[in-house]
Amino acid sequence: MSKAIQNDQGRFYIGDQGNPDAHLDFEEHGDTMKILSTVVVPSERENGLGSDLVDHAVNYARENKLVIEPVCSFAHEVIKDTPEYHVVWKK
């Protein structure tokens, strides 16, 4: 069962806004979305929440005509390993 992803200023998160189960932090500069970090609480790791957040970020980038610069090593690996995400990847 997939959990709802919420949007906040510069952040996508799952769970409670003040204490989320997982979150992805980003900045937008012009046409670039820079993914800074992806964090999942230890009890929720291995449940795919981090990948769900990266997928959400990719869809957000597509909808807003942005390219993604994944500074976060986790997001970089997910994007690199998912060919359909390469269309928004700023290499």
Side-chain angles (χ1 to χ4, degrees):
M1 180 174 91
S2 180
K3 296 186 178 183
I5 297 175
Q6 306 294 316
N7 294 359
D8 196 9
Q9 191 70 27
R11 172 177 277 197
F12 300 128
Y13 65 94
I14 298 171
D16 181 64
Q17 183 176 11
N19 191 22
D21 291 332
H23 62 89
L24 179 148
D25 295 328
F26 66 93
E27 294 176 349
E28 289 183 47
H29 302 282
D31 67 348
T32 301
M33 175 185 196
K34 187 180 287 190
I35 298 178
L36 304 173
S37 66
T38 307
V39 177
V40 179
V41 297
S43 64
E44 292 292 332
R45 291 189 182 149
E46 307 303 322
N47 290 333
L49 300 185
S51 296
D52 289 348
L53 287 168
V54 173
D55 182 67
H56 188 81
V58 167
N59 288 327
Y60 175 88
R62 285 179 178 145
E63 291 169 10
N64 292 280
K65 298 181 176 30
L66 302 171
V67 292
I68 294 177
E69 181 182 341
V71 175
C72 164
S73 59
F74 175 80
H76 182 270
E77 287 301 310
V78 172
I79 291 169
K80 179 177 69 95
D81 293 344
T82 310
E84 58 267 29
Y85 292 171
H86 291 188
V87 67
V88 296
W89 185 14
K90 181 177 182 177
K91 296 181 188 176

